[in-house]
Amino acid sequence: GPWEVGFQPKRGAPENITLDTLTDWSKHAENGVKFFSGTATYRTTFYWKPPESASANRPAPIFLNLGRVEVMARVRLNGQDLGVVWKTPFRVDVRDALKPGANQLEITVANLWPNRLIGDAGLPEPQRIAWTTWNPFTKDAPLLESGLLGPVTLEVLKP
């Protein structure tokens, strides 16, 4: 961290928040985040120094491990799209995108709809954000864990 998190517009969440540590959206103090459903993009800069034992001829595999993700994520490193992860282990090979020094990391996370439907169940109808023909959730239903929960780590494997 810190992580800048930008939320999909018109879904009840603020445009951006800053997180010092990764946390479950459903436990956030702000209702717009707690009940958010959609996509949110996490951004951070981290610095990397290659191990002294690294070989330029035969680079070792380097993975970015996202830890826990609820529910799926697209990863971009230094502007390079590294794909979507949707099951454990939530990790991508970053060796072609990672560079010594500053690295720009962007992770877009999508969660499921129940949290928005649960939040809306406690609002007057004109204030609701989502609409469905059938909603099995009440305002007291338990929320699903959501977002990038981490920890996010680099794993350098030995060649």
Side-chain angles (χ1 to χ4, degrees), residues 23-155:
T23 185
D24 174 4
W25 299 341
S26 73
K27 295 190 177 19
H28 198 276
E30 188 169 332
N31 283 345
V33 176
K34 178 185 286 188
F35 298 121
F36 179 78
S37 292
T39 60
T41 301
Y42 292 74
R43 291 180 180 88
T44 194
T45 299
F46 69 91
Y47 297 86
W48 183 69
K49 180 180 176 188
E52 291 182 21
S53 62
S55 166
N57 296 334
R58 193 170 146 225
I62 303 171
F63 291 97
L64 180 73
N65 189 327
L66 304 182
R68 283 190 55 219
V69 175
E70 296 297 335
V71 174
M72 61 189 333
R74 174 175 295 282
V75 179
R76 289 181 181 84
L77 182 59
N78 297 319
Q80 185 174 334
D81 188 343
L82 300 176
V84 173
V85 290
W86 54 275
K87 63 184 182 89
T88 58
F90 291 98
R91 69 181 196 173
V92 294
D93 187 341
V94 296
R95 90 185 99 174
D96 292 334
L98 186 64
K99 62 183 184 180
N103 288 270
Q104 304 296 316
L105 178 60
E106 183 176 290
I107 303 167
T108 300
V109 175
N111 69 340
L112 299 174
W113 275 105
N115 291 358
R116 178 72 269 154
L117 296 174
I118 292 165
D120 281 359
L123 296 173
E125 197 166 317
Q127 295 177 3
R128 294 179 184 172
I129 294 166
W131 181 87
T132 182
T133 57
W134 181 69
N135 183 356
F137 302 103
T138 66
K139 67 179 181 158
D140 299 319
L143 297 173
L144 301 178
E145 289 184 304
S146 294
L148 177 61
L149 305 177
V152 176
T153 57
L154 279 176
E155 300 172 346

